[in-house]
Amino acid sequence: MNKLKLLRKYVTPQHRLLASNSTHSKFPPYNVLFFGTDDFALASLKKLYRETSIVDNLEVVVLPRKGKSKCAVERFADDNDILLYTWGKLAELKPYDLGVVVSFGKMMPKALIESFPMGMLNVHGSLLPNYRGAAPISRAIEAGDTSTGVTVLKIAPHRYDIGNILSWSNFVPIDDETTSGQLNTTLANIGAQLLVETLSDLPSKSLNSTEQGAGSRASKITLNDTYIDFNSATAMEIWNKYRAFGYTKRLPLRCSLEGQMVRLTEFLKPDASDHSTWDQPGQVWYDKKSKSLVIACKQGLVRCTKLTLVRPISALDFKNGHIQIRYKRGEKTVFESLINPRSQQQIAATPG
């Protein structure tokens, strides 16, 4: 098991003195301090761990645990006897050549950046300057983009994802069935390889780095993003939201039925060529052939096969328990849209 060090805030004067008085390599192999958490970061950590011609010494910083579970990076560090530190209380660190940050989610203090003679690098899941921020992969899919990529950049203080660009990957295609999880895996591996290629020629990459211009933002996905407005969203826009985050257990797409929260948990791919419009977006009926609920949108139709009201049910269960009852009363079944959940106090939240 690794020795987990809980030390003083960020970086001490002693650490800065060590950095300034030590001899640091400008060419590989490097002494690297790696900051990471999840599977996207793990791909880069594994690659660095195996590239002994580029990395002479590798140590790791993780975020404090939430509960007892370890993040992917911490588990790998433990399993491979990599020295491990905890973020927020770093001190008495040995001098490193550079820091590498991948999917860490914390602003790097200027003092910490300057403690590395060769600075800090970041692997980011988009082709910067597009999609700066916490959710570049999900936001690209949500927007319906057909390609993306990975960037390796220098970290600058005070703002996220604005440093000079060292390397871009080639364009990576996104088809209209790819989920954020699948794309995350693809880009993680591409990013890991791009990181190693950048480190192998770091002096030249640094000398020829590119300043970023104006770009777009990729804000964190929140519950507000999951609420569907059938009056303003097309079928393909809803499908893109589903691929971006709605397929996950944590962030299913949501609407309401007569004041009750409805989570739409599984969709079929809509027909992209269907440009039909409907008098009442949100109206629902059952399609026996596809065993799905067909929901009218601003343009086109989406098909939902599984949903949750009080409990998870199939589309057929919903038809038998809701659509048929309303039909016998001469009523339509209509999913209502939720724009601002805070103003919808009557909506009943259900477990899940």
Side-chain angles (χ1 to χ4, degrees):
M1 295 295 290
N2 294 339
K3 186 177 180 181
L4 198 63
K5 294 188 176 181
L6 299 175
L7 304 164
R8 286 179 294 178
K9 185 76 171 177
Y10 298 127
V11 58
T12 64
Q14 292 91 339
H15 180 205
R16 289 192 290 271
L17 184 61
L18 279 171
S20 63
N21 290 341
S22 301
T23 301
H24 292 272
S25 173
K26 293 184 179 180
F27 298 93
Y30 298 116
N31 293 323
V32 176
L33 185 60
F34 183 90
F35 300 72
T37 55
D38 59 15
D39 289 333
F40 188 86
L42 180 59
S44 289
L45 178 60
K46 286 182 175 179
K47 195 72 173 175
L48 293 178
Y49 180 73
R50 294 166 184 154
E51 294 290 337
T52 55
S53 63
I54 294 175
V55 178
D56 181 49
N57 180 61
L58 178 63
E59 297 179 2
V60 169
V61 178
V62 296
L63 296 176
R65 292 182 196 169
K66 295 181 179 179
K68 295 181 180 180
S69 61
K70 299 179 182 179
C71 67
V73 165
E74 184 176 352
R75 289 195 299 270
F76 182 82
D78 276 340
D79 292 344
N80 292 278
D81 295 324
I82 300 173
L83 190 61
L84 195 63
Y85 302 92
T86 298
W87 171 257
K89 298 179 180 179
L90 303 178
E92 303 299 335
L93 297 173
K94 64 183 69 174
Y96 301 91
D97 297 309
L98 59 95
V100 173
V101 181
V102 187
S103 191
F104 196 65
K106 294 291 184 182
M107 187 77 70
M108 295 293 125
K110 183 178 180 181
L112 182 59
I113 297 171
E114 292 177 347
S115 71
F116 296 95
M118 302 190 70
M120 302 184 79
L121 310 187
N122 175 229
V123 179
H124 185 76
S126 76
L127 294 174
L128 291 170
N130 292 325
Y131 296 113
R132 296 183 180 120
I137 296 173
S138 292
R139 293 302 185 187
I141 291 178
E142 182 187 23
D145 289 2
T146 57
S147 66
T148 186
V150 182
T151 305
V152 176
L153 66 151
K154 297 274 283 189
I155 292 180
H158 308 309
R159 290 175 62 194
Y160 287 109
D161 307 325
I162 63 162
N164 282 15
I165 292 169
L166 301 174
S167 302
W168 283 291
S169 73
N170 293 326
F171 286 102
V172 178
I174 309 173
D175 68 40
D176 59 6
E177 295 187 10
T178 299
T179 65
S180 58
Q182 294 165 339
L183 186 57
N184 188 85
T185 300
T186 299
L187 295 184
N189 292 327
I190 291 172
Q193 181 61 38
L194 186 66
L195 174 62
V196 168
E197 292 172 2
T198 302
L199 291 180
S200 68
D201 193 24
L202 186 55
S204 175
K205 295 285 187 183
S206 297
L207 184 64
N208 297 290
S209 64
T210 303
E211 290 187 6
Q212 293 191 48
S216 58
R217 298 297 303 173
S219 58
K220 182 179 179 180
I221 306 296
T222 69
L223 283 179
N224 283 349
D225 293 303
T226 70
Y227 289 86
I228 303 173
D229 181 2
F230 293 103
N231 293 288
S232 63
T234 68
M236 288 306 298
E237 287 170 343
I238 292 171
W239 172 245
N240 291 341
K241 279 182 173 287
Y242 174 70
R243 295 188 298 123
F245 48 80
Y247 70 94
T248 66
K249 291 183 178 180
R250 190 172 68 88
L251 293 167
L253 303 185
R254 302 161 195 246
C255 58
S256 72
L257 178 65
E258 297 178 356
Q260 182 177 14
M261 179 75 75
V262 179
R263 292 173 172 85
L264 306 174
T265 55
E266 186 175 279
F267 285 81
L268 301 177
K269 178 185 172 183
D271 180 0
S273 65
D274 179 9
H275 302 298
S276 59
T277 57
W278 301 86
D279 292 335
Q280 190 167 19
Q283 183 176 345
V284 187
W285 59 94
Y286 181 74
D287 177 51
K288 185 176 180 180
K289 184 177 179 180
S290 63
K291 298 180 180 179
S292 67
L293 300 178
V294 181
I295 310 170
C297 306
K298 175 188 176 183
Q299 183 182 88
L301 301 165
V302 290
R303 298 174 185 270
C304 174
T305 55
K306 294 181 182 179
L307 62 163
T308 298
L309 283 82
V310 175
R311 60 181 178 82
I313 58 174
S314 68
L316 180 59
D317 292 333
F318 184 85
K319 173 211 167 189
N320 293 334
H322 294 272
I323 295 177
Q324 284 188 340
I325 291 173
R326 288 171 176 79
Y327 178 76
K328 290 177 181 178
R329 297 198 302 248
E331 300 172 359
K332 296 177 180 179
T333 302
V334 180
F335 285 154
E336 299 168 347
S337 304
L338 299 176
I339 304 302
N340 183 358
R342 292 184 179 180
S343 68
Q344 301 286 336
Q345 297 297 325
Q346 78 279 11
I347 300 301
T350 56

